[in-house]
Structure formats: structure tokens, C-alpha cells
Amino acid sequence: MSDRLQGKVIVVTGASGIAAAGAHRFAAEGAAVGIVSRGEEAAEALAIEIATTGATVTWVAADLRDEDATIAAFASIVGTLGRIDGLFAVAGGSGRRSGDGPLHEMPLSGWTETLDINGTPPFLAARETVRSMLVSKSRGSIVLVSSVLASRPSPRLFATHGYAAVKGAEDALAVTLAAYYASHGIRVNVIAPGLVATPMSVRAAADPTTSDYAARKQPLAGGFLPAGSVADAALFLLSDDARYITGQHLAVDGGWSVTDAEVV
């Protein structure tokens, strides 16, 4: 490892999949890591794993859809680690159970709940991060995690219109935040992953049609991407190597965006 985050405090939202991969990667690169997750057991377990490596880590259990809980969680991390230099905003989830799907079949509850679980956490996490950075007058980096489905849909397999819409909103949020806060030395970028092997994608990965499609649509990976591939991209954007990069959309998709693969 090259200690690319040495001396930095990075907050990660979520405690599994891409978030867990990011937390491990950042700690290995010298960062002190603050974990904020709704799942108390998962957050604590991840923190314990990281602590065994000798890295500095703290965790807070909080539902990032709850404003008061989010404010308290970020205040706790600042109180423990001193400040925030970077945010890796991953927390979110599928809205299928609430009814997310094709527009003509989606109930209003499917729309609102999908937006709430995927839109409110990055908004509140980014807001509290920016507030902390403005108070400390420190330069910092925010990385939001969107989805390739926001701009490169796969209508036959992934007709989750609410999820695609809120991830598109996240892309727009990153750009407008980057424009406004650049003069404060705060960078904001977004990563749009393709299909990634995470707990959220277990159902899709177990489906032969979807797994075959992923192998052809993401030829660089030959299937679902490892979570570490997204963490590696986030590491770059959070590090000083990317100190002149803001307002950008980086697809980490194994070739999804440029590959034609029909469902067979």
C-alpha cells in the first residue's frame, strides 16, 4: 500500500458490499475511518475487522433517512476523529419490495420509498460532511455512489424506474455541489458502478439469465464486478491524486456503457 490517505479522516456510509470494501481499502491506505450504518451488528463487525489491522476506526449506528440521527452520527465521528476530510456515500438499497418497477405498475409508495432509501442518505451525509468541512475550513472530497442504470438502462432485466431516477438525481446533485463548493476547496464526484457482487445483488447473481448477461455486458470482469473495483476508484477520488478533479461522473462498469449484449 502507498498510504495515499495518510492522515485523512474518511466517513463511509454503509457496512457491507461496496461500503465495506471501501472502508478496508481506505484504512489500508492510512485513513482513519468512520463508519455510519443502519445495521448496528454489521457496522460493529466491520469496525472490529479494520481495528485488527491497527488502523484507527470508529462506528455509529444510524438510519441515514432520519435527520436527527444523521446529525448526531456525524457529530459523534467528528468528536472522536476530529474532523472529516472525505465521504464515501454508499448507503442505499433496492425498492423492489416497496413496489419499484416499471412506471405503469409502480404504486406511489414504491416511488416514494425508493427515493427515500436511496436519495435521503446521500443528501444528509453530504450535507453534514460539507457543514463539517466549512467549519474546519479544510479542503475535502465527497464521492457519491450512483448507478450505471441511471444513464445506461437495461429495460428487460432491470426495469426499476424509481431506482434509476433517484440515481440520476444523485449524478445531478454531485455536479451542482461541485460547482457551488469548488471555491471552498471541496470536491464532489460520483461513481456509477455496473453490476457488482454485493449482498444487494445476490438475487440477480443467482439468476442464470442475469449472470450470463453480466458476463457479456461487462466483458472486462466476465460477470459481476468485485466490490473492490469501486473502492479503488473511490480511493483515487478521495486522495490528493485527484485534487484537481471535481464534478465528474466515473463509470466503473466493466464495459457495460460501451458493450451491446442482448438478453438471450
Side-chain angles (χ1 to χ4, degrees):
M1 297 300 174
S2 58
D3 294 333
R4 294 164 74 184
L5 297 179
Q6 188 63 46
K8 294 186 183 296
V9 175
I10 306 296
V11 176
V12 177
T13 66
S16 64
I18 293 170
H24 277 289
R25 189 77 167 94
F26 308 153
E29 291 286 346
V33 177
I35 300 163
V36 183
S37 175
R38 180 173 55 174
E40 181 174 348
E41 291 184 4
E44 182 179 22
L46 177 59
I48 291 172
E49 289 176 4
I50 293 172
T52 60
T53 68
T56 299
V57 60
T58 188
W59 65 275
V60 183
D63 187 336
L64 292 168
R65 296 170 297 178
D66 183 309
E67 183 174 28
D68 291 339
T70 303
I71 292 172
F74 276 75
S76 175
I77 288 176
V78 171
T80 301
L81 300 179
R83 66 183 188 282
I84 299 174
D85 299 303
L87 169 69
F88 187 39
V90 185
S94 172
R96 286 180 183 271
R97 292 182 180 178
S98 302
D100 187 17
L103 180 66
H104 69 286
E105 298 176 356
M106 194 190 315
L108 179 59
S109 59
W111 172 261
T112 56
E113 291 181 31
T114 300
L115 266 60
D116 189 37
I117 195 172
N118 290 287
T120 304
F123 159 68
L124 287 176
R127 190 190 71 183
E128 294 310 300
T129 297
V130 168
R131 285 177 171 176
S132 176
M133 289 176 176
L134 292 176
V135 169
S136 64
K137 297 182 180 179
S138 62
R139 302 174 70 87
S141 175
I142 293 172
V143 178
L144 306 181
V145 177
S146 175
S147 170
V148 71
L149 293 174
S151 59
R152 297 289 190 275
S154 178
R156 291 183 61 183
L157 289 181
F158 300 99
T160 46
H161 296 165
Y163 182 80
V166 70
K167 289 301 182 179
E170 203 167 354
D171 291 342
L173 178 64
V175 174
T176 195
L177 295 183
Y180 189 90
Y181 293 106
S183 61
H184 296 276
I186 299 173
R187 301 183 293 107
V188 186
N189 294 286
V190 63
I191 294 175
L195 295 178
V196 181
T198 69
M200 179 177 163
S201 67
V202 169
R203 180 197 61 81
D207 178 68
T209 299
T210 304
S211 60
D212 177 68
Y213 179 74
R216 290 178 290 108
K217 188 66 171 170
Q218 300 183 159
L220 297 183
F224 281 62
L225 295 157
S229 63
V230 184
D232 287 343
L235 167 64
F236 167 68
L237 292 172
L238 290 166
S239 76
D240 290 340
D241 291 341
R243 59 189 173 276
Y244 302 127
I245 299 175
T246 194
Q248 300 305 303
H249 176 280
L250 175 60
V252 180
D253 63 11
W256 176 297
S257 301
V258 293
T259 301
D260 185 18
E262 293 295 327
V263 177
V264 293

